[in-house]
Each structure stands twice: as structure tokens, then as C-alpha cells.
Amino acid sequence: MTNDSNTSPKFLSSLPSQPITDNIVKQIGESDSPKIRGAMGFPGSTPGTIEVFLLAMESKTHVVVFDPTEEQWRVYNSFNTEDMTHDEMVDHASGIANEWLAESLSDRIAAGEEE
């Protein structure tokens, strides 16, 4: 698998193959990397776990999701944030996160019905 550094942050491969805690998201956001501006987790389907978070980089924000079928993290969507306020960026990322959570939930329900 090749990683395009413009679309996929390199540290994704260092994340565990499971949902993470808000504390880990906070550590990512506070990392020493000059490219990372911050990170914010969205509550997942299990209390205390993060299955989707936003990662604010220099000029782009990535919405990073945990793909349970692949058991790995991936960038679900990225968008340019140069002309957005912080609140606009968070609102836009929240909308994308909610879209993924709804999609993911219906996939999980369908998978559960097949078993």
C-alpha cells in the first residue's frame, strides 16, 4: 500500500487497529509536529471510544475514521480550510463525521443481520 503524504497523514499506520480514546486524540492534537494544528474526536458508537476524529493540518483538515471491516484507520474525507474560521471548520468536519457515523451504523446493522 502506498501512502500519498498529501492525503494520508503518515502517523495513521502508528494508530492501533481499534478505536482509540479521546486522550490519544488529544495527544495527537498536541503533538510536536509543526504540520498538526489540532485534533478533535467525535463520540463513537461505544461510550469512551473515538471512531472518528478531525485532524487540522496546515491548510487541510482530514476527517479520520476507523474502518471496522479493515480494522484500520483511514482518511474518510479531507477539505481545504484556508478560508474557514475555526467554527466553520469544526461544523464542516462534524457534518462529515455524522455522515460517516450514519453510514457506518447502517453497515454494522446490515452486517449483524447477515450473521
Side-chain angles (χ1 to χ4, degrees), residues 12 15-20 50-53 63-76 100-101 103-104 107-108:
L12 282 184
L15 288 172
S17 1
Q18 63 190 34
I20 56 177
I50 301 296
E51 297 169 350
V52 58
F53 65 95
V63 177
V64 182
V65 300
F66 181 73
D67 185 339
T69 56
E70 300 288 325
E71 293 190 343
Q72 69 181 15
W73 290 89
R74 65 181 174 87
V75 174
Y76 176 70
W100 178 82
L101 284 165
E103 208 175 273
S104 171
D107 288 349
R108 287 179 216 192

Side-chain angles (χ1 to χ4, degrees), residues 13 16 18 24-25 96 101 111:
S13 60
Q18 63 190 34
I24 292 173
V25 174
I96 294 168
L101 284 165

Side-chain angles (χ1 to χ4, degrees), residues 37-88:
R37 297 252 164 96
M40 183 182 103
F42 296 99
S45 56
T46 310
T49 64
I50 301 296
E51 297 169 350
V52 58
F53 65 95
L54 74 79
L55 178 65
M57 304 288 279
E58 289 171 305
S59 61
K60 272 191 167 170
T61 292
H62 303 287
V63 177
V64 182
V65 300
F66 181 73
D67 185 339
T69 56
E70 300 288 325
E71 293 190 343
Q72 69 181 15
W73 290 89
R74 65 181 174 87
V75 174
Y76 176 70
N77 195 314
S78 298
F79 57 94
N80 191 322
T81 53
E82 288 173 348
D83 297 328
M84 289 183 167
T85 66
H86 177 77
D87 288 346
E88 288 171 335

Side-chain angles (χ1 to χ4, degrees), residues 3-41:
N3 262 355
D4 178 350
S5 61
N6 292 333
T7 57
S8 183
K10 288 185 175 83
F11 76 86
L12 282 184
S13 60
S14 66
L15 288 172
S17 1
Q18 63 190 34
I20 56 177
T21 63
D22 202 39
N23 201 31
I24 292 173
V25 174
K26 188 175 180 219
Q27 289 172 10
I28 292 167
E30 294 172 351
S31 106
D32 292 334
S33 171
K35 292 183 176 183
I36 296 178
R37 297 252 164 96
M40 183 182 103

